[in-house]
Amino acid sequence: MVPWLITMFTIICTDLAAGVWKSYKLQIPIRVSKAFRETMGKMIVYFAFVIMICCINVAMKGGFEFAKWSALFVIIIEGGSIISNLLKPHGINISLNAIIKAFLSHSALPLTCPEVDEIVQKESVEQIRQEEL
């Protein structure tokens, strides 16, 4: 489980770096204390979640690999956050709600054009900057 936890830690730190880069590119004031406070909060919640799943896995005699899947789940969530942070300065805003709605409403792809437009919204950089402030 240690390699998965190290990977989780690395991805969370990468998300912090991507968030700082996004703020720099959008000319949003960067507050180091706020960035670290939010990152530490995320880290505590994510590690507590994975440790809880590890305890459940041990209680079930380790028959399933829930702990690895929980770490992978956290990595996927943070990966989405990294991608979002990297795309926002270019005026691309990805809506998580629209992605979930598309997956729940359709069992097979491809999606129609209006649904794709709802997931990936091209916005002005100034509009994204105002939302981030």
Side-chain angles (χ1 to χ4, degrees), residues 100-118:
I100 292 171
K101 186 173 112 178
F103 279 120
L104 293 177
S105 65
H106 298 290
S107 59
L109 296 176
L111 299 173
T112 61
C113 286
E115 291 164 334
V116 172
D117 290 340
E118 187 178 346

Side-chain angles (χ1 to χ4, degrees), residues 11-59:
I11 294 292
I12 292 169
C13 290
T14 304
D15 184 42
L16 171 64
V20 169
W21 181 81
K22 175 194 70 175
S23 295
Y24 175 75
K25 285 294 192 179
L26 292 175
Q27 298 174 348
I28 297 172
I30 300 169
R31 294 176 188 88
V32 176
S33 63
K34 182 179 178 185
F36 278 113
R37 184 175 50 242
E38 288 179 6
T39 300
M40 289 301 131
K42 270 197 227 183
M43 212 174 284
I44 289 169
V45 170
Y46 290 155
F47 278 96
F49 170 72
V50 171
I51 289 170
M52 178 193 68
I53 299 297
C54 286
C55 292
I56 292 171
N57 199 32
V58 168

Side-chain angles (χ1 to χ4, degrees), residues 1 4-5 8 50 66-76:
M1 205 47 217
W4 287 95
L5 294 175
M8 259 179 43
V50 171
F66 288 131
K68 291 179 184 174
W69 285 103
S70 65
L72 185 61
F73 178 70
V74 170
I75 290 168
I76 290 170

